[in-house]
């Protein structure tokens, strides 16, 4: 067992997946710092949950992290966060946290820039990489009496989303969605007015909608070490995403089939930005011409990160290899991973549900073959972390997810919206 301890923020499935990766690779128990106890991390044998308390402020969370470090003095601690607002918290409090933790993230200015969708679009334009036609609408002056949504010189339909997600994440208002769609200028105006009324004072990106259902989506996840070398790369085809209003865009089922051209483009973008650490890209392939359009760069490992393990790429090994000296581990010898990415399916949705949304017959047959070979992996189904209460949570969660699809996305659509 390793002598270092990973320290993670949050309680969702993505946080548990990170803890599982470290336990599989090094047999180490992670420390999870959270404001509540939730199903994905409850009753787990591979982590210790430190509760800060519901409604804890950012300063209280930082204080709790410092307290954890003091209680584990002498043990190297690796801090990982996996949400937009947590990345921003890390930027604001980095000087304090770096006194106690190994922080495997890019410099603050690079990290902040990478989380801005306008920066991604500009980098793609410089590199000749496709992105949807986009217009930025600044809501900072929405309090002015004469403010009105601008005329958009785009081809409708369009999608609308905040350029930086963290501010919008903290807003609460009726009808809130992570991503909006609009078929006309009037509908786009209504969305922009709704966001302004809710208090958003940041930039909203309006993008021409790339057609195609969920299966046109692609995902790429990378780790770039401190020397600028990409030491982890895995990719896959999205099969089904969540469709509840505030969860749209979260990949739920991924076929871990490598996407070499998209991987090369992702590496080029990260090099252009001078990025280091974990990064996850959302991509959509236009079925009209087969061209891949980069939609988002998340400067973190992402919620569905266990798909990396299904692909044969344990992400814990990449970050530990980069910080071996600081963590007191032996430097990696030889390649971290086999050259070939493994084929499988990452999914926390049941096959009977996924199958309904695979309308292309050959794709449905291929995924069915993977399912029959038992390479259909649920991130919470860890054989070394069994507990009847965890099994009950998984079953109840599955029922709720199926209910959400019935309510919000009962049938596949040509756009995935």
């Amino acid at each position: 067992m390793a002598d270092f301890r990973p320290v993670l923020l949050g309680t969702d499935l993505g946080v548990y997946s990170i803890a599982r990766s470290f336990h599989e690779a090094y047999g180490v128990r992670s420390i999870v710092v959270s404001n509540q106890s939730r199903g994905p991390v409850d009753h787990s044998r591979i982590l210790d949950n430190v509760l800060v308390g519901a409604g804890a402020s950012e300063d209280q969370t930082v204080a709790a992290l410092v307290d954890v470090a003091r209680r584990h003095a002498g043990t190297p601690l690796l801090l990982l966060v996996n949400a937009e607002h947590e990345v921003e918290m890390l930027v604001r409090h980095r000087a304090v946290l770096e006194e106690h933790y190994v922080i495997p993230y890019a410099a603050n200015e690079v990290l902040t820039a990478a989380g801005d969708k306008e920066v991604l679009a500009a980098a793609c334009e410089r590199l000749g990489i496709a992105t949807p036609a986009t217009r930025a609408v600044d809501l900072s002056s929405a309090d002015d009496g004469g403010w009105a949504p601008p005329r958009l010189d785009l081809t409708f339909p369009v999608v609308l989303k905040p350029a930086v997600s963290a501010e919008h994440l903290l807003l609460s208002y009726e009808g809130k969605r992570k991503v909006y769609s609009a078929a006309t200028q009037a509908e786009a105006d209504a969305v922009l007015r709704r966001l302004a009324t809710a208090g958003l004072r940041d930039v909203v990106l309006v993008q021409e909608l790339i057609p195609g259902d969920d299966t046109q989506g692609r995902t790429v996840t990378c780790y770039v070490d401190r020397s600028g070398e990409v030491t982890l790369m895995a990719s896959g085809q999205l099969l089904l995403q969540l469709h509840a209003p505030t969860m749209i865009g979260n990949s739920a089922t991924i076929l871990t089939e490598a996407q070499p051209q998209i991987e090369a483009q992702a590496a080029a973008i990260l090099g252009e930005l001078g990025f280091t650490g974990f990064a996850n890209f959302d991509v959509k392939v236009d079925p009209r011409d087969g061209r891949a359009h980069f939609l988002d760069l998340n400067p973190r490992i992402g919620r569905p990160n266990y798909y990396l393990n299904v692909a044969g790429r344990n992400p814990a090994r990449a970050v530990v290899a980069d910080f071996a000296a600081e963590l007191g581990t032996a430097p990696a010898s030889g390649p971290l991973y086999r050259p070939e990415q493994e084929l499988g399916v990452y999914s926390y949705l049941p096959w009977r549900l996924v199958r309904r949304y695979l309308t292309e017959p050959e794709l449905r047959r291929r995924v069915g073959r993977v399912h029959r070979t038992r390479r259909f992996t649920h991130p919470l189904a860890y054989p070394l972390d069994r507990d009847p209460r965890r099994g009950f949570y998984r079953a109840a969660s599955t029922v709720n997810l199926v209910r959400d699809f019935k309510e919000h996305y009962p049938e596949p659509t040509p756009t995935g919206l």
Side-chain angles (χ1 to χ4, degrees), residues 359-392:
T359 58
E360 203 280 305
E362 178 54 30
L363 178 61
R364 186 168 59 244
R365 282 192 292 269
R366 290 178 57 227
V367 178
R369 287 194 293 269
V370 173
H371 180 258
R372 288 192 295 274
T373 62
R374 299 184 183 276
R375 288 283 297 158
F376 205 90
T377 303
H378 193 301
L380 298 183
Y382 186 22
L384 299 184
D385 196 18
R386 288 177 175 160
D387 184 290
R389 293 166 294 185
R390 292 186 60 77
F392 176 78

Side-chain angles (χ1 to χ4, degrees), residues 18 35 63 72 84 144 158 162 224 252 257 264 301 355 358 376 413:
I18 298 171
N35 58 11
H72 292 83
E84 293 95 337
D144 297 346
V158 298
V224 185
E257 184 171 57
I301 195 170
R355 190 180 187 280
L358 301 181
F376 205 90
T413 70

Side-chain angles (χ1 to χ4, degrees), residues 99-131:
E99 296 178 10
H100 307 279
Y101 291 93
V102 173
I103 308 287
Y105 292 86
N108 283 355
E109 61 274 14
V110 176
L111 199 59
T112 299
D116 189 329
K117 296 175 179 64
E118 289 186 284
V119 172
L120 172 63
C124 287
E125 184 175 0
R126 292 193 298 272
L127 294 166
I129 295 172
T131 57

Side-chain angles (χ1 to χ4, degrees), residues 144-161:
D144 297 346
W147 181 85
R151 192 74 186 169
L152 301 167
D153 56 335
L154 295 171
T155 301
F156 286 87
V158 298
V159 294
L160 303 93
K161 52 190 175 183

